[in-house]
Amino acid sequence: MPIHPARLERTPEGVLYSGAFGDVYHSRDNALGQAHAVFIAGNGLPQRWQGRERFTIVETGFGAGLNFLATWAAWREDACRSARLHFVSCELHPFCREDLARIHAAWPELATFAAELRAQWPVLAPGLHRLNLDAGRVTLTLFLGDAADGLARIDARADALYLDGFTPAKNPALWSERVFHLLAGLAAPDATLATWSVAGQVREGLRRAGFTTEKAPGFGTKWQMLRGRLAREARPLAVPEAATSGRHALVLGAGIAGCTVAERLAGRGWTVELIDRAPAPATGASGNLAGVLRPLPSLDDNRMSRLTRAGSLYAWRRIHQLRVRGLALRADDCGVLHLGRDAAQEVKMRAVVERLALPPEHLRFVGVDEAAEIAGCAVANGGWWFAGSGWVQPPSLCAASLEAAGGRLRGHFGHTVARLGYDGGAWHAHGPDGSTIASAPVAILAPGTGIADFEQASLPVVSARGQVSHLPAVAGSAPRVVVCRGGYVSPAVDGLRCAGATFAVDDPDPGLRPQDHAENLQRLEAMIPGFGAGLGAGFDPDRLDGRVGFRPASPDRLPMVGALPLPDRPPASAARGLDELPRRPGLYALSGYGARGLVWSVLAAELLASALEGDPAPLERDLIEAIDPARFVLRPLARTAVRE
């Protein structure tokens, strides 16, 4: 469902108010005092997080983020705090960034934290949004949408629960038995809860869900509040891989898949052995001059639509963070125009925009005249305009990721892994002469199409050859943005414009082919009529330079991210779900990205690193299952042609 932002309203006394629910957001006495007395102290904090590796809080209503900001500040002030703080929250009607700034001005003592939160405040699109704050030590996982829907899809284990929403009489759905049972399902052993509400229906609902509760002195004019603890047995905790691995991993492959996961693991304190047969990173499919980073929406907001939106939004946030740190990452969110093929498709594209109702700064429909104005040249049709998307130089993303990993990264370049073996609780990468290149308890296969060389993988990955054409271009010349329609063309980057790319399955030819250049030029002419006679005059397919890359693609066009199944796995009929399939110990895959390596890689790296650490996941459960490599065991696919 589309997200409808909250309106900034106040009572005559100046208290933040929701006209939609007819209730205030916080205590009339002292909002910050309520956050500390009810939610922080009510959950036994800061004492309960002290000495912990991580502490996770789940909240039912984010509002303006005051509970989060107060908790973050209290955590920072505690010298004995946990190494990491995770805060997971849901919000159906989030505030826009500008209104948050006005609201946060009331608490100058939280100004530093509030400014960092607003700097990463996400596009108000439905689904999960992962914000890495405080140099990665604090993580906010924010679900925008109905809380019951979010709590059912979130993958997290809560040490503390903040039950904060509009009063049960005004917003009964947030205090329903379903929500209470979902919270119990997310609760870790010995989880606590706190809320300002002591309504009988709340206490009874929590009791039915397995919590014991007690009334405690309230805050301000509210005499009582409620504290509770999970009384029934919690869902067993899966032992994080980090707990048994000593935070040590092999990563095979130094393209964007391998480099980004190395950075996400190093940021969590892991030592990473990065192995690649090439003498440097990003020499394979990740070596292109410029690639497109943008989502692919659909009328029904299907898995591809949700995954590409989540991947694009998270990748751009991480790119901006890396650049703020001073890393030389080449990228430009100049915008992407995705043109329709014809008038009939334009109608469908307009319907998608109207149905999804996403913020216009993320997606809107533009007619042919406005599209031409945006591009700076004539275009064939109107279509989608992604104002916050653009191009990224993959080698620079790899280099920035490795630089950010710092001293926790050990590079083993120029080494071919002929065999991967498991012995003594560790994976060993062996060279052609049988020597051991490196060993670690965890191994991550991210070698692009080379994953087919490892018998442990057994994945239906195919190689898709792609040829990009390099066209000489003057800086500032049209098109000024990325333009797509059956292919793409970039703005001028270092005197060249990228146009492409072809997509040919099981085509091993590594050489540039004039006919493929001609195909790219034909696509370009279809996007920008007259390009060949005007802007692109004189381009000879026989003389053009370019680049050929081989991309690992999957039959269902979705990536493969997660633990690999064992070869003696039960038949599909014997397992009811992915959770029941046995997996290889400590062996994971990052593959199947196809032509969307930039879209998938950064979020997939965060997802896998979170799984290895036991952190809350940055994706919803159904999307995690959709990209699980073991999905092909339960849902064998017919042998159909892989396409993009």
Side-chain angles (χ1 to χ4, degrees):
M1 296 293 292
I3 297 299
H4 300 289
R7 291 178 56 192
L8 178 53
E9 302 174 271
R10 297 187 186 275
T11 66
E13 298 79 21
V15 179
L16 194 61
Y17 177 81
S18 170
F21 289 95
D23 199 4
V24 293
Y25 277 85
H26 51 70
S27 170
R28 291 177 171 85
D29 300 299
N30 181 330
L32 189 54
Q34 181 189 42
H36 280 281
V38 175
F39 298 104
I40 298 175
N43 275 286
L45 304 176
Q47 293 81 8
R48 291 186 58 237
W49 64 39
Q50 292 177 352
R52 301 273 297 269
E53 179 60 36
R54 70 183 54 77
F55 194 86
T56 301
I57 297 168
V58 171
E59 180 187 51
T60 55
F62 189 77
L66 180 58
N67 288 338
F68 168 65
L69 294 172
T71 303
W72 181 6
W75 179 85
R76 279 289 298 272
E77 292 170 1
D78 183 9
C80 300
R81 62 182 177 265
S82 57
R84 295 180 183 279
L85 176 67
H86 286 274
F87 199 98
V88 182
S89 189
C90 302
E91 181 54 53
L92 179 60
H93 298 298
F95 286 99
C96 67
R97 180 184 284 109
E98 294 74 18
D99 284 345
L100 282 178
R102 298 182 182 97
I103 296 168
H104 293 161
W107 305 292
E109 58 269 62
L110 300 176
T112 300
F113 304 105
E116 187 173 348
L117 170 65
R118 293 195 304 274
Q120 285 203 55
W121 193 241
V123 167
L124 301 186
L128 275 180
H129 300 263
R130 169 60 58 87
L131 281 64
N132 301 114
L133 303 159
D134 205 332
R137 294 180 290 266
V138 174
T139 301
L140 172 62
T141 304
L142 183 62
F143 181 84
L144 298 186
D146 180 75
D149 184 28
L151 295 172
R153 294 184 176 189
I154 286 168
D155 187 356
R157 302 308 304 277
D159 300 298
L161 301 167
Y162 289 7
L163 277 62
D164 192 19
F166 298 116
T167 179
K170 302 288 188 179
N171 187 16
L174 199 58
W175 304 88
S176 66
E177 288 204 17
R178 179 171 184 242
V179 166
F180 295 150
H181 278 86
L182 289 171
L183 290 171
L186 292 173
D190 299 320
T192 62
L193 69 84
T195 178
W196 50 265
S197 177
V198 294
Q201 68 187 77
V202 172
R203 289 183 281 117
E204 178 61 15
L206 289 170
R207 186 193 68 79
R208 290 175 179 274
F211 293 96
T212 59
T213 61
E214 63 176 0
K215 294 179 181 179
F219 175 79
T221 56
K222 196 164 189 344
W223 292 0
Q224 294 177 315
M225 59 170 281
L226 202 65
R227 296 186 302 206
R229 185 176 296 273
L230 185 67
R232 65 174 175 80
E233 186 176 349
R235 178 165 52 97
L237 280 171
V239 179
E241 204 72 53
T244 56
S245 68
R247 289 192 168 88
H248 188 197
L250 297 177
V251 175
L252 278 58
I256 52 177
C259 291
T260 52
V261 78
E263 186 272 328
R264 291 287 71 210
L265 287 174
R268 288 168 165 83
W270 286 60
T271 298
V272 179
E273 314 282 350
L274 182 63
I275 307 173
D276 199 288
R277 69 180 64 186
T283 59
S286 300
N288 286 346
L289 176 65
V292 187
L293 177 51
R294 54 95 188 199
L296 184 65
S298 67
L299 189 64
D300 59 351
D301 205 23
N302 58 29
R303 294 177 304 178
M304 177 69 76
S305 175
R306 292 165 58 203
L307 280 164
T308 56
R309 181 169 68 240
S312 298
L313 292 174
Y314 181 72
W316 280 112
R317 278 198 297 275
R318 286 297 300 158
I319 286 169
H320 293 317
Q321 282 188 308
L322 291 170
R323 295 176 77 174
V324 166
R325 292 174 56 180
L327 299 173
L329 202 164
R330 299 290 307 282
D332 187 3
D333 50 356
C334 57
V336 176
L337 271 173
H338 184 127
L339 306 177
R341 291 188 303 272
D342 48 36
Q345 192 184 33
E346 282 190 56
V347 172
K348 295 178 181 178
M349 296 173 82
R350 187 188 294 272
V352 168
V353 173
E354 293 174 352
R355 175 71 177 273
L356 298 183
L358 293 164
E361 66 269 21
H362 176 68
L363 170 67
R364 65 184 180 94
F365 182 85
V366 295
V368 63
D369 292 338
E370 186 177 0
E373 183 179 351
I374 290 170
C377 59
V379 294
N381 298 94
W384 291 327
W385 170 235
F386 303 95
S389 295
W391 61 266
V392 179
Q393 190 174 86
S396 75
L397 176 56
C398 291
S401 297
L402 298 187
E403 186 176 351
R408 296 195 174 276
L409 176 74
R410 299 170 183 163
H412 304 270
F413 295 102
H415 291 275
T416 298
V417 178
R419 184 175 66 86
L420 185 66
Y422 186 73
D423 181 62
W427 290 96
H428 309 276
H430 300 289
D433 61 355
S435 63
T436 301
I437 302 168
S439 302
V442 171
I444 300 170
L445 300 181
T449 57
I451 197 169
D453 298 333
F454 295 93
E455 59 89 14
Q456 294 93 343
S458 301
L459 297 175
V461 175
V462 299
S463 174
R465 180 187 183 276
Q467 180 170 317
V468 176
S469 302
H470 291 168
L471 314 178
V474 177
S477 60
R480 298 188 293 259
V481 302
V482 179
V483 182
C484 304
R485 198 192 85 166
Y488 78 94
V489 60
S490 74
V493 181
D494 297 335
L496 294 173
R497 192 185 311 282
C498 294
T502 60
F503 191 90
V505 174
D506 294 332
D507 182 344
D509 184 5
L512 290 170
R513 299 193 297 227
Q515 62 266 34
D516 285 17
H517 283 317
E519 181 181 335
N520 288 334
L521 290 174
Q522 288 171 1
R523 287 199 188 98
L524 184 52
E525 180 67 24
M527 285 187 276
I528 305 175
F531 187 93
L535 297 172
F539 291 152
D540 182 353
D542 292 315
R543 297 177 179 273
L544 281 179
D545 197 3
R547 197 172 186 282
V548 173
F550 297 90
R551 302 158 294 188
S554 69
D556 59 4
R557 301 194 301 155
L558 297 178
M560 305 173 187
V561 181
L564 287 165
L566 281 165
D568 56 346
R569 55 191 180 267
S573 59
R576 290 174 295 177
L578 291 168
D579 289 343
E580 296 184 5
L581 292 176
R583 309 292 177 122
R584 291 184 180 272
L587 185 62
Y588 302 83
L590 292 171
S591 189
Y593 292 177
R596 297 185 177 90
L598 284 170
V599 174
W600 306 130
S601 59
V602 185
L603 181 58
E606 175 70 8
L607 175 63
L608 184 51
S610 296
L612 291 170
E613 282 281 301
D615 294 339
L619 271 177
E620 296 93 322
R621 290 179 186 272
D622 60 319
L623 295 183
I624 295 172
E625 291 181 356
I627 62 177
D628 190 322
R631 66 187 184 270
F632 299 108
V633 176
L634 296 183
R635 302 187 296 275
L637 294 174
R639 299 184 67 85
T640 56
V642 176
R643 61 183 178 83
E644 283 297 309

